[in-house]
Amino acid sequence: MNKACDLALEGGGVKGLGLIGAAYALENIGYRFRYLAGSSAGALVAALLASGFTAAEVKEVFVEIDYKQFEEKDCLDYFGTPGKLLSLGRSLGIYSANHFESFVNGLLKEKGISTFGDLNNQFKSDFPLKDRRPVNTETRTETVSKVSSSATRTDTDTQQNRTALKTTPPKIAHSTAIIPDNSASAAKAVRSTGIIPGDTAIPMPAFPHMKASFINNPARLRVTASDITDMKLLTLPDDLACFGIDPEKFSVATAVRISGGLPFFFEPYKLKDTSGRVHLLVDGGLISNYPIWILDDEKSRLDVPVFGLKFPKHALEPCLSHCKHNDRVTLFEYMKSVVSTLLDAHDEAYSYRTEGDDERAITIPTVITVDGERRRVGTADLGIKPHERIAMFENGVRAAVRFLKTWSFEKWLSRYR
């Protein structure tokens, strides 16, 4: 059996080993991954699967790798907590993410992938035109608006500004992240004028080949990022056009680095807009950690299943972190725990979920048994040991096998579409 599916992968740091396990089970039963979307660690796994890695190959990489190698230190970091605080004050992050980006870039190059354009070209050869589906720009922009509105609030003045923008495009110089409106003319406006209606109407450079690949048809891979300068959700590579960047020429590894940029732990990625204004981009999970909405507009009848790989929301259990065994917790460990907790708990309140999402989600347990003791794998447990990683991977495999025993795409369609 060889059939296609679309796949959304939730962020979760080192819990991403469970995502790999679930993808492994899906591949073993014959599924091929067509369109993929991910946040944070989910963006990394999605990028590797989209580039041509099998889940088995991805497992081999991440079971053996030393995660602490990504703690790229500068001279200040060798001075303990005071040095880390100085790094935070100077760079807004303790570690640079350059090494992590280089690592991802090296993996992607093994499959001949560097940019999103490379992914699209590979996609054309892997999936004939009849097996691809056109994007419904109107309904997609409506969904993005719903997701973003759950994480940001607008006052009366902002609402009035939005109304004015729909009738009179403002004369502005800078570009920001776009939250399009629900206008039925949105798609036509993008294609004909290069202006995206929304919170702010921003000139979008005319990249003819980009329009064909990213507007008329969706990109094979999309990842989320959080623009903390404008407090907006970004979808990469699509929203890069708003910064004057051709999405097809943008590095996939850089997009993964941005989406996985754990706040405080990694330095934020700085991206200039067309006016030279600097935007700070960090972990996409801060706003949307489970981006299944990217792959489904709620209205279209799907031609293939859209599966979601996610983690349960439950009462906290002891993490694998060393702070569990020590009375004293360092400031650095405390910061990691705070960020990890925020990311773990975020989607319960802010994720945009549609009817039927739970029934197509593969929920991967994060509790493993280590030396007879049950422990929960946390987002920032970088010290996780190889046998613990295998246990997390196997959690994903078992979760997917259990899900597939009762899954019926036809029944799901008849109930929700």
Side-chain angles (χ1 to χ4, degrees):
M1 177 178 60
N2 195 344
K3 50 190 178 182
C5 70
D6 298 339
L7 195 65
L9 298 91
E10 185 178 48
V14 299
K15 294 183 297 186
L17 290 154
L19 303 175
I20 301 168
Y24 176 84
L26 288 170
E27 284 184 343
N28 274 1
I29 203 172
Y31 279 105
R32 298 172 64 209
F33 306 126
R34 188 179 61 169
Y35 297 110
L36 298 102
S39 293
S40 196
L44 171 59
V45 177
L48 295 176
L49 294 174
S51 69
F53 280 89
T54 66
E57 291 173 328
V58 179
K59 173 198 173 187
E60 293 305 314
V61 172
F62 289 98
V63 165
E64 299 298 332
I65 195 172
D66 178 11
Y67 289 110
K68 289 188 176 292
Q69 68 175 288
F70 301 131
E71 297 177 351
E72 186 178 354
K73 299 180 179 180
D74 61 17
C75 57
L76 291 176
D77 295 320
Y78 290 97
F79 291 93
T81 298
K84 288 181 171 64
L85 288 174
L86 287 173
S87 288
L88 270 174
R90 184 185 67 177
S91 306
L92 304 179
I94 296 173
Y95 302 118
S96 166
N98 291 335
H99 182 65
F100 173 66
E101 181 178 349
S102 297
F103 166 77
V104 176
N105 193 48
L107 289 175
L108 294 173
K109 283 188 174 181
E110 292 181 19
K111 301 296 183 180
I113 299 297
S114 178
T115 66
F116 281 93
D118 295 334
L119 275 181
N120 272 8
N121 291 333
Q122 182 197 71
F123 180 49
K124 293 172 185 176
S125 62
D126 290 348
F127 288 86
L129 184 60
K130 65 181 179 63
D131 292 331
R132 296 176 240 153
R133 59 183 169 92
V135 65
N136 185 330
T137 308
E138 178 185 343
T139 51
R140 178 185 172 272
T141 56
E142 179 181 346
T143 305
V144 175
S145 296
K146 291 179 181 178
V147 175
S148 300
S149 64
S150 70
T152 58
R153 296 181 179 180
T154 57
D155 55 23
T156 302
D157 292 337
T158 303
Q159 295 295 344
Q160 292 173 346
N161 289 340
R162 284 180 174 173
T163 302
L165 286 171
K166 292 178 182 179
T167 56
T168 307
K171 296 180 180 179
I172 58 175
H174 66 78
S175 165
T176 64
I178 302 299
I179 308 299
D181 66 14
N182 298 338
S183 170
S185 62
K188 182 179 179 181
V190 170
R191 285 192 279 267
S192 63
T193 68
I195 302 294
I196 301 180
D199 283 353
T200 43
I202 295 166
M204 185 171 70
F207 302 127
H209 60 287
M210 182 278 294
K211 287 186 177 182
S213 297
F214 290 86
I215 296 177
N216 294 329
N217 293 289
R220 183 177 195 182
L221 171 69
R222 287 175 177 161
V223 304
T224 63
S226 300
D227 180 346
I228 59 174
T229 300
D230 281 347
M231 295 181 289
K232 303 283 189 181
L233 169 68
L234 297 180
T235 303
L236 307 180
D238 306 54
D239 290 334
L240 290 167
C242 307
F243 291 84
I245 298 172
D246 184 344
E248 287 209 337
K249 294 182 179 179
F250 197 75
S251 164
V252 177
T254 302
V256 170
R257 171 237 182 107
I258 294 171
S259 187
L262 196 66
F264 305 124
F265 186 81
F266 286 128
E267 298 169 4
Y269 187 82
K270 298 178 180 179
L271 190 65
K272 288 185 179 180
D273 61 27
T274 54
S275 71
R277 182 167 174 255
V278 176
H279 294 248
L280 302 179
L281 310 184
V282 298
D283 199 306
L286 288 180
I287 299 179
S288 180
N289 203 33
Y290 181 54
I292 195 168
W293 52 270
I294 291 178
L295 302 173
D296 184 8
D297 62 20
E298 294 184 76
K299 300 176 181 178
S300 301
R301 185 171 176 84
L302 302 177
D303 57 339
V304 301
V306 178
F307 294 132
L309 307 184
K310 60 183 298 188
F311 303 102
K313 302 297 180 284
H314 47 58
L316 296 181
E317 298 194 27
C319 291
L320 298 173
S321 170
H322 291 298
C323 63
K324 171 182 180 292
H325 303 291
N326 298 311
D327 293 332
R328 290 191 61 188
V329 178
T330 68
L331 175 63
F332 180 47
E333 289 171 337
Y334 172 73
M335 290 173 60
K336 284 203 301 182
S337 296
V338 168
V339 173
S340 176
T341 300
L342 287 173
L343 292 175
D344 287 349
H346 172 270
D347 269 5
E348 189 69 17
Y350 292 108
S351 266
Y352 176 65
R353 300 171 66 188
T354 65
E355 191 177 15
D357 275 355
D358 288 340
E359 287 76 5
R360 59 181 172 182
I362 299 173
T363 303
I364 304 161
T366 58
V367 176
I368 62 175
T369 301
V370 179
D371 299 327
E373 184 179 2
R374 284 167 55 85
R375 300 179 185 174
R376 183 180 64 87
V377 179
T379 297
D381 283 327
L382 299 184
I384 186 172
K385 299 174 182 177
H387 68 281
E388 296 165 340
R389 300 176 191 185
I390 293 173
M392 190 66 221
F393 171 86
E394 291 175 346
N395 275 5
V397 174
R398 286 192 293 269
V401 170
R402 187 164 52 248
F403 168 85
L404 291 168
K405 286 180 179 179
T406 59
W407 167 255
S408 169
F409 185 40
E410 292 72 20
K411 289 182 179 179
W412 190 92
L413 283 177
S414 65
R415 182 174 181 182
Y416 298 109
R417 293 299 155 88

